[in-house]
Structures are given as C-alpha cells and as structure tokens.
Amino acid sequence: MTLSLVHVQPTTGTVAALTATGGVAVGGYVHHAWRGIGACATQGLATNPWYPDTLRVVLSDSGSAGQALSQVVSADPGASRRQCLVMDRQGRAVVHSGTDNLPVVAAACRPTVAAAGNMLAGSEVIDALLWGFLEQACINAEAAWREVEPPHYRDDYEALLPEMLVAALEAALEVGGDGRGTRSAALRVESFCAAPIDLRVDWSETPAAELRTLIERVREPTFAGFLASLPLR
C-alpha cells in the first residue's frame, strides 16, 4: 500500500528517505532516517510503528541491516503483513516482504540506495523510482542500474537531495504509483553539514507537486537563512 526509497552516503553520513501512499499521513508512520546510522521504511498491509526503535538501536551498535531486520521480523507475530526496507551506515540494504501483503509487491536494492513497495500499480513503479534517483544523482547511472558498478555520486548531489527525491517520486507516479492512487507523500534528509529537512503532504490529489512547492518554500532566502543558523549537532 506504499512505495519508499532510502539512501545512505557512507562517506558523509547523509541519509535520505522518501515515502508515498494512497492513505493519509504517510510521513508520520513509515520512513525513518538517522544521519550516520541508517534508514528504514516500515510499511505493508499494516505497518509496525515499533520496528524503528529496535532497528535504530541495532544499527547504532554497528549491526548490519540484515541483523537489524532479522531481529524485528523474528519478534513480530504479524510479520507476514509487513514490508520493511532497512539500510545501514555502510549502505547495505535488505527487504522483508511478508506473504500476506497485497500485490503488486516489489523491491530493488543497490549499494547505498534501495526502493520497495506493495499494492503497486505494477513492478515498474519501483524500477522507475530507483532509476529516477540514480539518473539524477549518479555519474554512472546505467552501470549502477545494471549492477555492473556501485553508484558513483555527483560531487554536489547532496545539496539537491530533496529535489531529486521528488523527481524520482514523480517518475514512479507516472507509471502508476500506489494502485489505489497516491494521496500522501513525505521526505526527510539528515546530514551532518545542514539542518534536517522533513517535509510532509498528509492528503492531496497531487502530493508530489505539493512536496515540490514545499521545497521551493524551504529554498526561499528567509527560511534558508533560518535553517543555516541552526546548530548542526
């Protein structure tokens, strides 16, 4: 019932997450990003809002994404109803997609970036989401997509992560998005060199467009100056 993308840059510790769904207020329940630690998206037929607590602890203790995911799934009697995407600080990603999730269920993982979804209009939604991000952020998008090389990111890409996330979402929505229609979307970017950006559209007929408008507001000089004045740690 949701599509998500997570990204971790191991060199700088920057972490980003994007989520969209056909339901209300996706940003309050699904994705979590922790700079220098990792990220997750907990979604599916029914999300488990307690997964992030354990995932963050395991990832903070230098556990791998696989170890963190295994711990939450094994302790959850409702794991068959969950889809959970986890990425650790080294950019390693794993996905759990329970058997009770409604089709179309899909996931695609590359080093440092991964996407997953359920109740999608088609598996091409996740392909479009991941490719949309790689195409903008990487200098070797084609090779990274074909898994011939790991992604190599453009020197200045982190400054434009919010815009890149929205463009990737737009590409996914163009091929169908959530099978019910997409009504809420959110993104978060966590960095050691800038204040967090946490934007949410809780209900809209055009959530991607409204996210883009919010980014434009954030980029306006007055608010950009306010963000620049905040302490970084």
Side-chain angles (χ1 to χ4, degrees), residues 123-213:
S123 60
E124 64 273 13
V125 172
I126 293 305
D127 291 342
L129 182 62
L130 185 61
W131 171 252
F133 183 82
L134 290 172
E135 186 178 32
Q136 299 170 88
C138 297
I139 61 175
N140 67 334
E142 182 66 31
W145 174 255
R146 292 188 290 111
E147 302 183 77
V148 175
E149 300 172 357
H152 298 307
Y153 291 96
R154 303 181 190 278
D155 289 341
D156 58 350
Y157 88 102
E158 288 192 20
L160 296 173
L161 269 173
E163 287 86 351
M164 291 179 177
L165 291 170
V166 172
L169 174 60
E170 289 169 340
L173 297 185
E174 285 179 4
V175 295
D178 188 311
R180 305 163 297 168
T182 306
R183 295 293 178 263
S184 67
L187 65 84
R188 186 169 182 89
V189 177
E190 289 271 359
S191 169
F192 286 106
C193 62
I197 295 179
D198 186 0
L199 304 179
R200 305 178 181 188
V201 175
D202 286 340
W203 185 261
S204 173
E205 296 295 316
T206 56
E210 293 205 24
L211 264 186
R212 188 172 288 282
T213 298

Side-chain angles (χ1 to χ4, degrees), residues 15-77:
V15 179
L18 167 80
T19 309
T21 192
V24 66
V26 70
Y29 300 96
V30 170
H31 68 210
H32 304 265
W34 310 292
R35 60 184 179 178
I37 297 173
C40 74
T42 169
Q43 52 198 39
L45 189 62
T47 187
N48 187 324
W50 308 114
Y51 274 17
D53 292 346
T54 299
L55 293 171
R56 182 171 186 173
V57 169
V58 177
L59 296 176
S60 295
D61 290 339
S62 298
S64 69
Q67 291 169 329
L69 182 62
S70 177
Q71 188 163 326
V72 295
V73 169
S74 63
D76 180 10

